[in-house]
Amino acid sequence: MDAAGSTCGSVNSEQNREECEFVPSKLGTKEYWDEAYTRELQTFKEIGDVGEIWFGEESMARVVQWLEKENIPQDASVLDIGTGNGMFLVELAKCGFTNLTGIDYSPASVELAKNIMAKEELTNIRIMEEDLLSPSPELSGFDVCIDKGTFDAISLNPENAAENREQYAQAVRSVLKDDGLFIITSCNWTKDQLLSILCKGFEIQQELPTPSFQFGGRTGNSVTALVLKRKN
């Protein structure tokens, strides 16, 4: 369940992001993602196309470069939240990371990701059907959790969005080790908004640079990327 950056439109000012908080969307429903990944799975089986890489390849490179720059051990346990087609896990594996897990609540996404792992001959990557809002006991003790759009999708759910956001923050904290790292990329939320939502369980380590734009004489960013640390 990897939400596309188009949820807020092409120009994503702080005002637009605030509006997105209150506008429900089908992008926040499981039904939407089940249908989307069923189509992508069929396309992959027919022509081998892995489907869309949400936020683009640069978003994956941004996180991988930070992990390498900070000398995160390549055997660190990494959880990809809302793994979608699993291509971010493929990229991590190609960069030498060996302890990788991807979860998604869409069965079609899980099947697609497993098919892609098999094609890439990446037999040591775990792909699991899991809803992070109700994590199983098996999801625990991760060194790093990564979210690239899943929190955005949860925030757009037409039902109980505010409660889901709080439950999400608690769940991410519960699956991380003490002092574990949480790297989140969002197109709907500003830095200050994310920190406000996640302040109870995390503290900021770094804001990652993202492309900026100018509109109406003002400069802004269409994407926010933060590295947070779990509070003990």
Side-chain angles (χ1 to χ4, degrees), residues 12 17 31 37 56 59 65 73 112 115 122 152 179 193 199:
N12 202 349
R17 288 173 177 173
E31 291 76 16
Y37 283 114
S59 66
Q65 288 169 5
L112 173 61
N115 275 265
L122 297 171
D152 285 353
D179 296 326
Q193 288 171 330
C199 63

Side-chain angles (χ1 to χ4, degrees), residues 22-127:
F22 304 106
V23 179
S25 167
K26 63 182 180 180
L27 290 171
T29 66
K30 184 174 184 296
E31 291 76 16
Y32 174 86
W33 295 107
D34 283 339
E35 292 175 3
Y37 283 114
T38 296
R39 292 192 299 270
E40 290 200 5
L41 175 61
Q42 185 61 36
T43 300
F44 178 78
K45 289 180 177 180
E46 291 176 353
I47 63 174
D49 185 350
V50 300
E52 188 168 356
I53 297 176
W54 302 113
F55 293 104
E57 293 185 3
E58 70 175 18
S59 66
M60 297 193 300
R62 181 186 306 119
V63 174
V64 171
Q65 288 169 5
W66 185 88
L67 292 171
E68 293 178 335
K69 179 183 176 182
E70 296 299 316
N71 295 316
I72 302 300
Q74 291 193 325
D75 62 352
S77 54
V78 179
L79 176 65
D80 185 24
I81 299 170
T83 196
N85 58 16
M87 289 305 297
F88 186 68
L89 294 171
V90 172
E91 186 68 18
L92 287 169
K94 289 180 177 179
C95 292
F97 290 90
T98 60
N99 190 356
L100 303 173
T101 300
I103 61 169
D104 206 292
Y105 70 177
S106 169
S109 159
V110 170
E111 185 178 352
L112 173 61
K114 286 182 176 180
N115 275 265
I116 290 173
M117 298 306 146
K119 180 181 178 181
E120 297 285 341
E121 299 182 347
L122 297 171
T123 59
N124 61 335
I125 296 178
R126 291 194 305 167
I127 305 293

Side-chain angles (χ1 to χ4, degrees), residues 131-171:
D131 184 349
L132 184 70
L133 298 185
S134 301
S136 69
E138 190 173 353
L139 288 182
S140 64
F142 287 94
D143 296 301
V144 181
C145 286
I146 299 172
D147 178 339
K148 188 164 59 67
T150 297
F151 181 69
D152 285 353
I154 288 173
S155 300
L156 296 172
N157 193 303
E159 298 181 3
N160 303 318
E163 292 85 351
N164 289 342
R165 290 195 293 268
E166 183 175 348
Q167 190 174 352
Y168 170 93
Q170 294 172 351

Side-chain angles (χ1 to χ4, degrees), residues 4-14 16-17 20 187-188 211-215 220-223:
S6 59
T7 57
C8 292
S10 59
V11 176
N12 202 349
S13 67
E14 183 171 341
N16 287 338
R17 288 173 177 173
C20 282
C187 79
N188 289 352
S212 62
F213 67 91
Q214 287 190 335
F215 181 78
N221 295 78
S222 58
V223 175

